[in-house]
Amino acid sequence: MQHFIEKMPKAELHVHLEGTLEPELSFQLAKKNGAELAYKTPEALVAAYDFHDLPSFLNIYYAGMNVLVEEDDFYQLTFAYLTKARSQETLYAELFFDPQAHTSRGISFDTVITGIHQAQVNAEKKMGIKSQLIMCFLREMSAESAMQHLVLAKPYRNWLVGVGLDSDERNNPPVKFAEVFSEAKAMGLKLTMHCDVNQQNSLMHIKQCVSDIQVDRIDHGINSLECEVLCELIKHKKLGLTVCPVSNQFVVQSLTSDEIHKMLKKDMLVTINSDDPAYFRAYLNENLIELQKEGKFNQNQIVTLVGNAFKVAWLDNATQNDYLQQLHRYVSQHI
């Protein structure tokens, strides 16, 4: 089963580029840019990854970004992730990035997005991995700041496929950003929002995402299972749910395999993703392998989870079908 998973054609829809910053690259960039790190070695940095909830993770996560300064830093970050993803047979990825975390440090929006985009172009050319970019807003910052960054993004509209909402959910409901997301939708961008597992008012936030914001997808969304009506609505709207098992384990001490089984039984479009793989020490293959072990998922269920990612990816029908055919050919050869 492990070999079957490792070689499957896959898509990843929930990965934060800043969360792919491996310790070794972090130290290289810190030395180049004269940035101070709180740890003396990459090993010491990894040892500090002792997360027990979302805020404890975010504290280390944002501190780690200080090494990202120049356009080439964002290029290296993005190219390194896409190289790793392609080595795990990921054919397509939708990448989150957090511009406010960089502009607030004095880094220009242009520097950030140009470095990322150039890496995407080169990775597709050299390795055949296609990717699209999703700009996320930090929910603890103001709606005005989010709108300012949407305006900054307008010259780069063709480099973006959608917008998202992430970071600290406490007292930051989706409706806080209703105007920004309405404007993004008018620009032709897809919409998604984080509703992390067991956060304050998680169920209310999911309801706002679906009914008020009218998102195209939900990131995480495990708590939707608490409301049968909401599950049916998500299913009716064919909304994908981008679940991240290993990162869930840091919050609820489980890979949420039971919940994922329930979603599959309800025919909800649940997908598996890595979230912040450098910090949680698990990329897409590791998430799928560990989930399969904990939840005893059979081959058909794993194929469904992987297939769902292609089905809810923000791609045209022809490209979606091409990826799904590649997956089906692989499965037919390995049954």
Side-chain angles (χ1 to χ4, degrees), residues 142-321:
S142 68
E144 291 74 19
S145 174
M147 187 66 84
Q148 288 165 7
H149 283 75
L150 186 62
V151 171
L152 287 174
K154 285 187 176 181
Y156 305 96
R157 165 63 189 87
N158 292 338
W159 292 2
L160 298 170
V161 69
V163 294
L165 184 68
D166 61 13
S167 203
D168 195 350
E169 296 183 27
R170 183 177 293 273
N171 299 321
N172 294 302
V175 291
K176 172 182 171 182
F177 299 91
E179 185 179 350
V180 183
F181 276 74
S182 177
E183 179 66 22
K185 188 171 187 176
M187 290 169 59
L189 292 166
K190 295 288 191 178
L191 312 181
T192 188
M193 287 182 165
H194 277 53
C195 294
D196 214 329
V197 60
N198 289 4
Q199 298 302 297
Q200 182 188 62
N201 298 320
S202 282
L203 195 58
M204 182 187 78
H205 288 184
I206 297 172
K207 290 177 179 177
Q208 288 181 5
C209 282
V210 176
S211 301
D212 299 313
I213 308 299
Q214 297 190 4
V215 295
D216 300 288
R217 203 157 67 211
I218 298 169
D219 297 313
H220 298 296
I222 286 288
N223 293 90
S224 62
L225 290 169
E226 296 168 15
C227 176
E228 189 61 38
V229 173
L230 186 56
C231 287
E232 285 301 314
L233 185 58
I234 289 169
K235 182 179 170 182
H236 174 72
K237 287 177 171 282
K238 298 181 179 178
L239 299 181
L241 297 136
T242 63
V243 176
C244 305
V246 174
S247 74
N248 283 347
Q249 191 173 40
F250 282 82
V251 181
V252 294
Q253 291 70 58
S254 161
L255 297 172
T256 56
S257 55
D258 288 345
E259 291 83 352
I260 291 166
H261 271 296
K262 290 175 184 175
M263 286 179 165
L264 286 174
K265 286 178 182 176
K266 291 178 182 293
D267 290 325
M268 298 172 79
L269 291 167
V270 55
T271 71
I272 304 303
N273 308 269
S274 68
D275 205 357
D276 301 283
Y279 289 88
F280 297 122
R281 314 311 294 158
Y283 285 81
L284 185 51
N285 275 354
E286 289 80 20
N287 271 268
L288 283 162
I289 290 165
E290 291 306 310
L291 178 70
Q292 192 279 324
K293 287 179 182 175
E294 179 185 275
K296 302 294 187 289
F297 290 85
N298 63 38
Q299 192 177 70
N300 287 338
Q301 289 171 320
I302 293 294
V303 172
T304 297
L305 290 168
V306 172
N308 283 347
F310 288 120
K311 289 177 181 177
V312 302
W314 291 335
L315 293 163
D316 61 79
N317 289 339
T319 306
Q320 268 186 351
N321 289 335

Side-chain angles (χ1 to χ4, degrees), residues 36 63 68 70-71 112 148 186 284:
E36 287 289 328
L68 297 166
E70 299 176 331
E71 184 180 306
V112 178
Q148 288 165 7
L284 185 51

